[in-house]
Amino acid sequence: MDIYSLARPNIRNLAPYSTARDECQVKIGSFLDANENPFNNGYNRYPDPRQAELKSLISRIKGIPVKNMFIGNGSDEAIDLCFRVFCEPGIDNVVSIAPTYGMYKVAADINNVSMREVPLGKDFSLPVEALLAACDDRTRLMFVCSPNNPTGNAFPLDQILRLAGSFDGMLVVDEAYIDFSSEQSLSGYISEYQNLIVLQTLSKAYGMAALRLGLAFADERTMAMFANVKYPYNISLAGMEKAMGLLRRDVSSEVALIMSERTRLAEELAKLPRVRKVWPSDANFLLVEVDDARGLYGELLDAQVIVRDRSKVLNCGGCLRVTVGTPAENDRVLAVIGGLKPESVVEKRTATVVRKTRETQIEVTVDLDGKGTDGIDTGLKFLDHMLDQIVHHAGIYLTVKASGDLEVDEHHTMEDVAIVLGEALIKALGDKRGIERYGFVLPMDESKAMVLMDLGGRIEFVWDVTFTREYVGDVPTEMFWHFFRSLGAAMSCNLHVSADGKNDHHVAEGIFKAFARALKMAVRREQFSYSLPSSKGVL
Ligand SMILES: *Cc1c(COP(=O)(O)O)cnc(C)c1O
């Protein structure tokens, strides 16, 4: 088969960009040819544009020769390259099954290539003859996703091979979910069928969605054209290193658990009255037809379970697509669809600490995801005012009740409030303390305050603050040193405080506000901030 004649003439004849490393493959020496910063920090040099090391590792795992392999910034890069290599914008067309993965159509639109969508059978079967009939002499690509997203089914190998054998363009088989399938991969057929491009990914079974690594396997001429068209350094060194580490981990037990959970989830869902049909799945998700998909989607969302509403997709009326999660997550899906109202999945970050000594009785309650207070009363008006700053500027819920031997002096109350507050904060944070350092600098009129906080578990206290008066309100200024030193120790954190200004009230207030702002950063819970919650475990 003449693959070059299928490619666009400009791509076939392309003189690709030649990198410094393409032009000189010497391994050792002074590399003064790529305008890099010469000082080694691990990442100052350009990465291998051919990804030789990662490819040879994947080659061993998948049994595909390196010359038949392309690694992209996710499968999406490989999908886009199929268009850029084979389709003349405004002239050529492609054929795809429907419904299927939405990126083929988006990539077609971006490349100004028209797409002919051929509906699957009512049972989601592959319409082999209709797909072939939809082609004409300008059809360059045909997309078949197997197992298909969102229907979940894999198509029989012989049917896909029949397409490969009869179609005069490039057949792109997207096997993103092949590791969950009982059907065989087509990757073993790329030498027999030179017009076959098999897409796989490290995003699903291999658990590396965040690294963005997609794979294509095909005839070496196709892969050579992909290599010429891709951006020279499309995969970062950090991504390659991380992937090589993770690829040495065996995911087979995770995949096996996902597959057994898929069976359990399908069986249990099928018993529920609101479920009309659970489609058979060769992937790590289930397409579930329910009564009132929109309403149930909302109920799941209220219970903090996020699924994909596919009810507007062709032939998927009433369907939700549910990814198979952990056993506990799957239990939760079953509970909600079964009509139960499970408790919040988001762990509460609250704590109450009570401390009673002969000198003081103190009770502090914090909710890091709450807001406001049910009262702050330490008997020291100025301290109350300062703790109020933490409530507002950290954006947390905080209640402090303290009574102490203020008739003796303020010392015990200040120090014990700081200890109990610190213990309550750290208890509410649980084991989700990051090793990150947080800090905040705050100008307040003529004063400025800076607080640096490091929740890494070491305790060091640095205090660079000078007050000019003996008291601010009813609090002796020397007590702020005691307060923050005790607070930092109780939180097991490094705490650096510096502040200056003419007005002691502003200086003290600035310190409390800057502390509150640093705390706000430290306790923030965000979807894309993976490092802070759970993943690192206990420090
Ligand atoms: C998830 C998925 C992919 C993977 O895309 P990446 O860009 O590699 O993360 C590819 N194809 C289909 C059908 C998918 O569902």
Side-chain angles (χ1 to χ4, degrees), residues 220-234:
E220 61 184 296
R221 290 166 293 176
T222 300
M223 297 290 84
M225 287 190 285
F226 274 39
N228 288 349
V229 175
K230 77 176 180 74
Y231 296 142
Y233 307 103
N234 59 328

mmCIF file of all heavy atoms in Angstrom, residues 220-234:
data_model
loop_
_atom_site.group_PDB
_atom_site.id
_atom_site.type_symbol
_atom_site.label_atom_id
_atom_site.label_comp_id
_atom_site.label_asym_id
_atom_site.label_seq_id
_atom_site.Cartn_x
_atom_site.Cartn_y
_atom_site.Cartn_z
ATOM 1 N N GLU A 220 5.811 2.171 9.874
ATOM 2 C CA GLU A 220 6.871 3.136 10.191
ATOM 3 C C GLU A 220 6.855 4.366 9.299
ATOM 4 O O GLU A 220 7.299 5.438 9.717
ATOM 5 C CB GLU A 220 8.254 2.475 10.180
ATOM 6 C CG GLU A 220 8.663 1.870 8.874
ATOM 7 C CD GLU A 220 10.005 1.147 9.010
ATOM 8 O OE1 GLU A 220 11.007 1.814 9.286
ATOM 9 O OE2 GLU A 220 10.030 -0.094 8.855
ATOM 10 N N ARG A 221 6.311 4.251 8.090
ATOM 11 C CA ARG A 221 6.234 5.453 7.230
ATOM 12 C C ARG A 221 5.259 6.471 7.829
ATOM 13 O O ARG A 221 5.516 7.669 7.852
ATOM 14 C CB ARG A 221 5.781 5.060 5.816
ATOM 15 C CG ARG A 221 6.843 4.270 5.046
ATOM 16 C CD ARG A 221 6.268 3.605 3.814
ATOM 17 N NE ARG A 221 5.308 2.549 4.176
ATOM 18 C CZ ARG A 221 4.591 1.849 3.289
ATOM 19 N NH1 ARG A 221 4.690 2.103 1.998
ATOM 20 N NH2 ARG A 221 3.759 0.912 3.701
ATOM 21 N N THR A 222 4.138 5.957 8.342
ATOM 22 C CA THR A 222 3.170 6.850 8.994
ATOM 23 C C THR A 222 3.790 7.489 10.229
ATOM 24 O O THR A 222 3.671 8.693 10.460
ATOM 25 C CB THR A 222 1.912 6.048 9.407
ATOM 26 O OG1 THR A 222 1.352 5.486 8.228
ATOM 27 C CG2 THR A 222 0.891 6.937 10.089
ATOM 28 N N MET A 223 4.472 6.676 11.010
ATOM 29 C CA MET A 223 5.079 7.194 12.248
ATOM 30 C C MET A 223 6.187 8.208 11.935
ATOM 31 O O MET A 223 6.372 9.182 12.656
ATOM 32 C CB MET A 223 5.633 6.035 13.087
ATOM 33 C CG MET A 223 4.575 5.052 13.567
ATOM 34 S SD MET A 223 3.418 5.672 14.840
ATOM 35 C CE MET A 223 2.181 6.519 13.916
ATOM 36 N N ALA A 224 6.881 8.001 10.833
ATOM 37 C CA ALA A 224 7.926 8.959 10.447
ATOM 38 C C ALA A 224 7.290 10.299 10.072
ATOM 39 O O ALA A 224 7.810 11.365 10.415
ATOM 40 C CB ALA A 224 8.741 8.400 9.277
ATOM 41 N N MET A 225 6.159 10.250 9.404
ATOM 42 C CA MET A 225 5.489 11.515 9.054
ATOM 43 C C MET A 225 4.955 12.205 10.318
ATOM 44 O O MET A 225 5.038 13.430 10.433
ATOM 45 C CB MET A 225 4.375 11.273 8.029
ATOM 46 C CG MET A 225 4.932 10.960 6.635
ATOM 47 S SD MET A 225 3.676 10.936 5.328
ATOM 48 C CE MET A 225 2.864 9.371 5.642
ATOM 49 N N PHE A 226 4.422 11.421 11.245
ATOM 50 C CA PHE A 226 3.984 12.011 12.528
ATOM 51 C C PHE A 226 5.173 12.713 13.209
ATOM 52 O O PHE A 226 5.055 13.818 13.716
ATOM 53 C CB PHE A 226 3.439 10.926 13.476
ATOM 54 C CG PHE A 226 1.979 10.603 13.287
ATOM 55 C CD1 PHE A 226 1.408 10.542 12.021
ATOM 56 C CD2 PHE A 226 1.169 10.344 14.387
ATOM 57 C CE1 PHE A 226 0.063 10.240 11.855
ATOM 58 C CE2 PHE A 226 -0.182 10.046 14.238
ATOM 59 C CZ PHE A 226 -0.731 9.987 12.973
ATOM 60 N N ALA A 227 6.325 12.042 13.188
ATOM 61 C CA ALA A 227 7.508 12.604 13.861
ATOM 62 C C ALA A 227 7.952 13.900 13.186
ATOM 63 O O ALA A 227 8.429 14.826 13.844
ATOM 64 C CB ALA A 227 8.641 11.575 13.846
ATOM 65 N N ASN A 228 7.782 13.983 11.875
ATOM 66 C CA ASN A 228 8.170 15.206 11.168
ATOM 67 C C ASN A 228 7.214 16.366 11.443
ATOM 68 O O ASN A 228 7.619 17.518 11.428
ATOM 69 C CB ASN A 228 8.192 14.952 9.657
ATOM 70 C CG ASN A 228 9.367 14.085 9.246
ATOM 71 O OD1 ASN A 228 10.269 13.837 10.049
ATOM 72 N ND2 ASN A 228 9.354 13.613 8.012
ATOM 73 N N VAL A 229 5.955 16.057 11.667
ATOM 74 C CA VAL A 229 4.938 17.111 11.795
ATOM 75 C C VAL A 229 4.789 17.575 13.244
ATOM 76 O O VAL A 229 4.467 18.730 13.506
ATOM 77 C CB VAL A 229 3.585 16.623 11.217
ATOM 78 C CG1 VAL A 229 2.487 17.652 11.437
ATOM 79 C CG2 VAL A 229 3.732 16.323 9.724
ATOM 80 N N LYS A 230 5.022 16.706 14.194
ATOM 81 C CA LYS A 230 4.848 17.077 15.608
ATOM 82 C C LYS A 230 5.783 18.221 15.988
ATOM 83 O O LYS A 230 6.788 18.457 15.317
ATOM 84 C CB LYS A 230 5.122 15.861 16.499
ATOM 85 C CG LYS A 230 6.610 15.548 16.672
ATOM 86 C CD LYS A 230 6.833 14.409 17.643
ATOM 87 C CE LYS A 230 8.304 14.076 17.821
ATOM 88 N NZ LYS A 230 9.045 15.052 18.618
ATOM 89 N N TYR A 231 5.468 18.911 17.075
ATOM 90 C CA TYR A 231 6.419 19.898 17.603
ATOM 91 C C TYR A 231 7.667 19.146 18.038
ATOM 92 O O TYR A 231 7.564 18.035 18.588
ATOM 93 C CB TYR A 231 5.825 20.625 18.824
ATOM 94 C CG TYR A 231 4.600 21.440 18.506
ATOM 95 C CD1 TYR A 231 3.547 21.510 19.398
ATOM 96 C CD2 TYR A 231 4.500 22.140 17.316
ATOM 97 C CE1 TYR A 231 2.411 22.258 19.108
ATOM 98 C CE2 TYR A 231 3.376 22.885 17.017
ATOM 99 C CZ TYR A 231 2.330 22.946 17.915
ATOM 100 O OH TYR A 231 1.232 23.674 17.630
ATOM 101 N N PRO A 232 8.855 19.718 17.818
ATOM 102 C CA PRO A 232 10.090 18.963 18.064
ATOM 103 C C PRO A 232 10.175 18.332 19.460
ATOM 104 O O PRO A 232 10.479 17.157 19.594
ATOM 105 C CB PRO A 232 11.182 20.005 17.872
ATOM 106 C CG PRO A 232 10.584 21.000 16.919
ATOM 107 C CD PRO A 232 9.123 21.040 17.223
ATOM 108 N N TYR A 233 9.883 19.117 20.488
ATOM 109 C CA TYR A 233 10.023 18.579 21.861
ATOM 110 C C TYR A 233 8.637 18.463 22.476
ATOM 111 O O TYR A 233 8.317 19.143 23.454
ATOM 112 C CB TYR A 233 10.898 19.517 22.701
ATOM 113 C CG TYR A 233 12.232 19.825 22.072
ATOM 114 C CD1 TYR A 233 12.465 21.040 21.452
ATOM 115 C CD2 TYR A 233 13.251 18.886 22.109
ATOM 116 C CE1 TYR A 233 13.691 21.325 20.876
ATOM 117 C CE2 TYR A 233 14.482 19.162 21.536
ATOM 118 C CZ TYR A 233 14.704 20.381 20.922
ATOM 119 O OH TYR A 233 15.928 20.652 20.359
ATOM 120 N N ASN A 234 7.786 17.607 21.891
ATOM 121 C CA ASN A 234 6.382 17.588 22.326
ATOM 122 C C ASN A 234 6.179 16.955 23.693
ATOM 123 O O ASN A 234 5.143 17.182 24.318
ATOM 124 C CB ASN A 234 5.499 16.904 21.268
ATOM 125 C CG ASN A 234 5.897 15.473 20.971
ATOM 126 O OD1 ASN A 234 7.075 15.135 21.051
ATOM 127 N ND2 ASN A 234 4.957 14.637 20.644
#
